[in-house]
Amino acid sequence: MKQFDFVKSFYKASHNRDTFVADVDALVGSDPRNMRVTSVPFSANFQPATTFPSITAKARKVRLVTAYDGAQLYELRYSYKLGAAEQTKCGRFLVYEHPVYRNVFVAVTFEGGRFVQKGMMPFLRGQFPRLVVGFVPHKRLKRLLAAFRADHDFSELIVTRATQRLRLPEEGVHRRVMPIMTWPDMALDEAIDWLADHNGWFKSVRFDAKRDGYTATRVSLTRDGIISCDYLYNQVFQSFVMPVCKIHHENYNLFSNRARRDNPTLAARPLTITFDEGQFDDISENQKLIRALRVMKTTSISVLHGNPYVHVSAVDYLDGSTFDLWVVDSRELVLVPQMYASVGAIKRLVNHIFDTYAEGEVKEYCLGAL
Amino acid sequence: MTETDFRDSIDDYVTSIHAILGFANFYLWDPETRTDVPDVLVFQGRHLCPLSAATENEVRNDGSYVTPDLGVLLPDHTGVLAEVKLSFPKDQAHWMDDFKQLMSYDADLDGWPSEDGRVIRHEVVLITEQGRAVRVRKFYENHAGNEIKFERPFVIVAVNRSDNRQPYYFFQRTLGNLTRTVLDSRLEEGVKVPMTVLLEKYSTVKLYDAEPPLPYMMDLIWTHVVVDAARQEPKFSRLHKRHKLPVVLQVESIVERLREEFSCRSISAHASCGTPSVPKKTWIVNALEQFVSMKEAEWIDAKKEGIRVFFQRIEDSLDHFIASSCRSPDDEKGPPDQQPLLQFPDDPDGI
């Protein structure tokens, strides 16, 4: 018997900004457990509707299929290598325009993991630095999960699969982070606390949200903000997608116009990363930080001073952004964007520090007292 | 020079800049009101011409001029000229040259960033490293009135970086009196300037009126001019590690870029008019010659006005330029007759 194609029907139907999330929720609810929806919040300094179709890349090409009110449907044709053979595939994704944050969007797809990993994510990441995909710090993730559980009355969240990274403190290790994969069937709060105690973070986590003994939805989250679920999309959207959109919005505003050239007087507009109290009390932390910075890919890290204060010059070879980094305080790292510094490059640098050294809070630099 | 020599000289150079900025900040910032002092102008590398002794109004027509490391023009039409000399030669016979330079500032000078190019009066300040300040003061006192004469107030200010966990620069007046009495009193007791309060300025002022160590100059050109030009090329982001991307630059434009973006001109209180000389074109040419000798660039004309730099992804650009400078022919000349800053040698012949 020919099955009804709910997704095709969804694409053909009319959607708008106000009903979009409810429409997706209804679609996923039409075939729970068998349909997964993946959402990827991102920020961009352009409108995808006008820019995506004009992007020409050998391995990936996008076509605008339908423009709804506040959302669009795209078809992505992509190629990738599987062994020696080159595969060409096609899939569809939607872009939802955030109703409030002008530079924030959500890519939504019902396609499988291969499309997300080989097609959509490389396409989105390929637009760096004009487009930036997400980043969820560990502490923030912990708060989001606690709120998700409390807001929707889940009795427990059980980890079914997770990949973690532990920041390595010792010298002489090629990789600054150690990957681990586990399927611990552990309560999520315990797993998060264990990771925090071991100076680590989730790269991705898949968990079952349980209510009265049954699994209400299976959710997976990644550190770079890819969120997927097989049911209760509306709850997942409100608890994870919207907060990640907010992170994008905050970061976009905080990281925009930081370059000295964005300022007519050429004055610097530094940012600070504030760590836990006494983070740099031990002088050996300087070298740990420098080692962590040095493993950043596609970046030049030059140390002008390493002890007792840190002064590092960084060049991002992906887009030519340049920075000065300073540690002259026991808990703060000051990041000074130089003549050119894109939002994407600032975010990449901050993410790298969070991934390989420690997580902190990024804020506007405040002049100290003289 | 060895890598350590280069590292030390870069540290000396950067420390000198921090000392200049820290001292300038005493005039630019009011600690009582915690606001910027309006109408103060600072300048660097500006040509000031001595006035003729005969007329006291005409600029001496022999073309001579002085260029102090730092000048400050205050709202009451008075000024301060400062020279930073953190390291002195071991041989005290050479110290007189430094004092002669300071004495050359002790004259009526034209070229201040005031309307008429003059000030009512000014004072001369030597900023030196704290570990040497006493000997420098004694040297001055031993020669004062004979070989060393100042008609205007002459002040020695000692500076030292305290390498605490929250590092600061400590400034203390060790000779003479500054005309600004409040500041003079503060400096008599000594003032700590935490590095954290001046990071913005430390990040934007990377040059002063002295030629920087070669690898430092090369790194500045590389990081802030070459990379910026290369990033305009479509291939930039897709460049493989060993691939090279040729970038054509004009020497004058490099000079102008660094002058605009990394000299004292990038401070908002800087006097924009005048004769800028930081960086000097010769410093840039010297650094570019080193790129050429490393085969990382080639001149595109006989007059050496244009250069093609072969950009590639270097993992640690400063380290790369230090290593290449260690191997250069200039290395054979040996290190200069100066001690590294902030080193307190046991050698009694040292300072």
Side-chain angles (χ1 to χ4, degrees), chain A residues 48-86:
Chain A
T50 50
T51 306
F52 275 1
S54 65
I55 294 166
T56 51
K58 199 177 164 188
R60 284 172 286 276
K61 185 150 180 61
V62 158
R63 178 175 72 85
L64 177 65
V65 180
T66 310
Y68 312 107
D69 172 28
Q72 306 93 42
L73 173 67
Y74 298 93
E75 185 173 81
L76 172 65
R77 186 169 291 278
Y78 61 103
S79 304
Y80 63 96
K81 286 212 166 163
L82 190 67
E86 184 159 295

Side-chain angles (χ1 to χ4, degrees), chain A residues 269-294:
Chain A
R269 292 190 62 213
L271 294 162
T272 56
I273 301 176
T274 307
F275 298 100
D276 291 338
E277 190 67 47
Q279 175 75 32
F280 294 106
D281 276 353
D282 185 344
I283 210 83
S284 66
E285 285 299 320
N286 290 356
Q287 290 312 310
K288 286 183 193 169
L289 172 67
I290 289 167
R291 281 203 301 277
L293 289 168
R294 282 195 189 282

Side-chain angles (χ1 to χ4, degrees), chain A residues 138 142 187-199 202:
Chain A
H138 193 77
K142 183 179 176 177
L188 196 47
D189 338 10
E190 289 173 42
I192 285 176
D193 290 342
W194 184 89
L195 271 178
D197 290 346
H198 291 80
N199 196 18
F202 277 124

Side-chain angles (χ1 to χ4, degrees), chain A residues 260-261 268 280 286 294 298 300-303 305 308 317-320 324 326 338 365 367 369-370, chain B residues 7 11 25 29 163 165 196-197 200 203 206 228 231 236-237 257 261-262 313-318:
Chain A
R260 290 178 58 202
R261 210 169 278 145
F280 294 106
N286 290 356
R294 282 195 189 282
T298 337
S300 165
I301 297 291
S302 297
V303 180
H305 210 283
Y317 285 133
L318 286 182
D319 74 345
D324 278 23
W326 298 85
Q338 279 293 351
Y365 167 79
L367 197 67
L370 188 61
Chain B
R7 291 263 174 210
D11 197 42
N25 207 55
W29 175 258
D163 287 344
R165 199 64 203 97
T196 188
V197 302
E200 264 180 278
S203 299
K206 292 177 183 281
D228 199 50
R231 75 175 182 85
F236 179 80
S237 61
R257 283 283 300 277
E261 296 165 2
F262 293 102
R313 291 178 175 182
I314 301 170
E315 279 186 5
D316 179 340
S317 52
L318 182 63

Side-chain angles (χ1 to χ4, degrees), chain A residues 253-267:
Chain A
N253 287 343
L254 189 62
F255 299 165
S256 289
N257 303 315
R258 287 280 156 189
R260 290 178 58 202
R261 210 169 278 145
D262 293 332
N263 187 340
T265 64
L266 301 182

